[in-house]
Amino acid sequence: MFRSIARIVAPVGVVFVFALASVANAQISPDLPNPTNASNPLTRTLSIFRSNMQDKIMKSADAMPESKYNYRPTKDVRSFAEILTHLGDISYTLCSSIKGESNPATATAKVSKAEIVAYLKGSFTYCDGVYSGFADTHLNDPADFFGFKTNKMFILTQVGNHDALHYGNLVTYLRINGLVPSGGWF
C-alpha cells in the first residue's frame, strides 16, 4: 500500500515543486537589483534590502493620516508615530556607529506628521551616505553595538533587520485602520 501511494505522491510532488518554481520565477521582477557585479557586492546587497524596507516605511508614513499617528492597538505598544521616530533614532544611532561619529540626531520632540517624516527621511539619507561609501573590505572591522563588541557587517545588517521588523508593525497598524500598505518587489 505504501509503495503504491509513494509511486503517485513522489512524481506529483516533483511536478508540484517545478510548478511552484515556475510561478516564483514569473513573479520576480526583471527590475530586481542584482548586486553581483557591484564593486562591493556584500555591502550593496545589504543596502538594497535596507533601501527596500525604508521605501516601504516612507510609503507607510505617507499613507497614514496625521489624525492616526497617535494610534496604538493596545496601551502597551508604541504608537504609529513612536515607531517611526524610533526607526529614525536607531538608524542615526547605528549608522553613526559605523561612521565612528557622534549621533547627529537632535533630541527635540517630533510631534506633527511633517516633523516625524522629515526626521525619518533625514535618518535614512544619513544612512545612505554610510552604505554608499562603505567597502566590503571593512565589513569585519571592529564595531560597538550598544556596548557589545562585534563587526561592522553585523551593524549594517541590523539596520535593515530593524527596519523590516518595524515595517511589520506599521503594516498591522495600517491594516487595522483600513489602509493597504505598499507592496514592492519583495
Side-chain angles (χ1 to χ4, degrees):
M1 174 78 168
F2 175 75
R3 286 186 177 158
S4 298
I5 293 172
R7 286 182 187 148
I8 294 169
V9 171
V12 169
V14 170
V15 169
F16 182 71
V17 167
F18 281 109
L20 278 179
S22 296
V23 170
N25 283 337
Q27 292 177 355
I28 295 173
S29 169
D31 299 326
L32 184 69
N34 185 348
T36 57
N37 293 327
S39 58
N40 293 292
L42 298 174
T43 303
R44 183 70 184 126
T45 300
L46 295 172
S47 183
I48 289 167
F49 176 70
R50 178 195 63 90
S51 294
N52 183 47
M53 287 298 105
Q54 292 176 347
D55 180 59
K56 291 173 187 282
I57 290 166
M58 292 306 298
K59 287 178 179 173
S60 298
D62 291 337
M64 184 68 92
E66 186 164 13
S67 63
K68 298 283 188 173
Y69 259 54
N70 288 323
Y71 172 78
R72 69 182 76 231
T74 71
K75 64 179 177 57
D76 300 322
V77 297
R78 291 180 175 118
S79 70
F80 190 85
E82 289 168 338
I83 292 172
L84 295 177
T85 303
H86 171 70
L87 282 162
D89 291 343
I90 296 301
S91 289
Y92 274 125
T93 299
L94 295 178
C95 288
S96 64
S97 174
I98 290 294
K99 287 180 99 171
E101 297 179 353
S102 297
N103 188 332
T106 59
T108 60
K110 290 103 185 130
V111 179
S112 72
K113 178 178 177 175
E115 291 169 325
I116 293 167
V117 168
Y119 178 70
L120 186 61
K121 187 175 182 139
S123 73
F124 291 169
T125 299
Y126 180 76
C127 283
D128 287 345
V130 170
Y131 282 81
S132 67
F134 200 86
D136 285 359
T137 56
H138 294 288
L139 287 170
N140 203 34
D141 288 358
D144 180 79
F145 184 73
F146 299 103
F148 295 97
K149 299 301 175 203
T150 187
N151 63 19
K152 290 187 176 186
M153 182 173 179
F154 179 82
I155 296 175
L156 289 170
T157 303
Q158 290 312 301
V159 177
N161 180 52
H162 184 260
D163 290 344
L165 170 83
H166 287 298
Y167 174 65
N169 297 128
L170 299 176
V171 165
T172 302
Y173 287 29
L174 288 167
R175 290 201 181 276
I176 289 172
N177 285 284
L179 300 165
V180 177
S182 122
W185 40 266
F186 71 84

